[in-house]
Amino acid sequence: MHVDKHFHRDLRNVSEWIVDGCSVLKTNSSYTVCSCVHLSTFALIMQTSRPPERDSLMELLNLVCVIVGLVFFSLALLTFALCQWSPGVNNVARINICISLLLAHLLFLLTQRFLSLIRPQQVLCAVISGLLHFLFLSGFVWMFIEAVLLFICVKNLSQISSKKREVLSSGFLCVIGYVVALVVVCVSVSLVPEGYGSEHCWIKHDNGFIWSFLGPVCVILALNMIIFIKIIITLTSTLNNLNAKISQMKQTKIMVFKTLAQFVVLGCSWILGFFTNGSKVLEILFLILNSQQGTFIFLVYCVLNNERVTFYDDSFIWLS
């Protein structure tokens, strides 16, 4: 019997073959071709080489973390939709981060759970990988937009409302947030149409095609890191100039948590994905942080953001 890739033997009982995740691709009277696929965490999205085999513990952790993240993405969206916000508050980037990543995580989770059924359908697998490419990339574009909005809020406190209305309208942001990702995917499809549909129904690593995703992501992460550092510096300087009443609102522990949360919300923690190969600790940290972006958005922007002082708007979500 000819075996494509390989069946995996149980080391505890070498007389048995483990066939979970394996399917027959072709068979006749002389040989059978089989393909084996195994579940993976979404850390594989940021890997530059073919992912290693995963153990059951990591798959369980991935399942739990992603489901929890999906719940909080949903809660955040419900809060944004049902609650009344101050006129100057612009939640469009946060809403679309939640929408893009909720759909991306849900689709990726379902795809990996039913990979043995989807993988033999080459066209379906390629379509799913292309859709994942678009959803994750649009999520990163929206993270960049959120970083820019936050920087404008912190840099121009007295002009925040007019800035948002005149320069950064919701319609303009939506065009940027989705069209940029759509253009990248369309160009990628036109140049290398066979680049989609890996064994995990993700972008193939052949000929470096994975960089059609990682390239734009690297640029966005680098920009977001620079903007995040500038925000911290500007916010620290601004705090020193606030009056006593506002200064009293600052609580050290809450400030530290919100700073960490903003680091995750802006996607900066996705940088860990480039270093997870061969490191279980980094992969677990990557999985926990980046599957919980919805959790951090819900806690910072919905639970801890009281919006009591309209003038300062969401520039001071870190302080309220």
Side-chain angles (χ1 to χ4, degrees), residues 109-135:
L109 180 64
L110 292 175
T111 300
Q112 298 307 307
R113 297 305 296 177
F114 299 102
L115 195 57
S116 60
L117 298 176
I118 297 173
R119 183 65 184 89
Q121 309 298 322
Q122 291 291 330
V123 175
L124 177 60
C125 186
V127 169
I128 289 176
S129 63
L131 186 55
L132 285 171
H133 187 185
F134 169 74
L135 290 173

Side-chain angles (χ1 to χ4, degrees), residues 30 49 75 96 102-103 131 151 184 192 234 244 257 263 278 305 319:
S30 60
S49 59
L75 289 175
N96 284 281
L102 185 150
L103 293 176
L131 186 55
F151 181 71
V184 172
V192 190
T234 304
F257 170 76
F263 184 83
N305 185 16
L319 310 183

Side-chain angles (χ1 to χ4, degrees), residues 3-23:
V3 180
D4 178 29
K5 303 186 192 315
H6 55 276
F7 283 110
H8 295 265
R9 274 190 168 176
D10 187 343
L11 297 177
R12 294 167 298 180
N13 188 346
V14 296
S15 64
E16 296 181 1
W17 295 96
I18 295 178
V19 297
D20 292 342
C22 297
S23 60

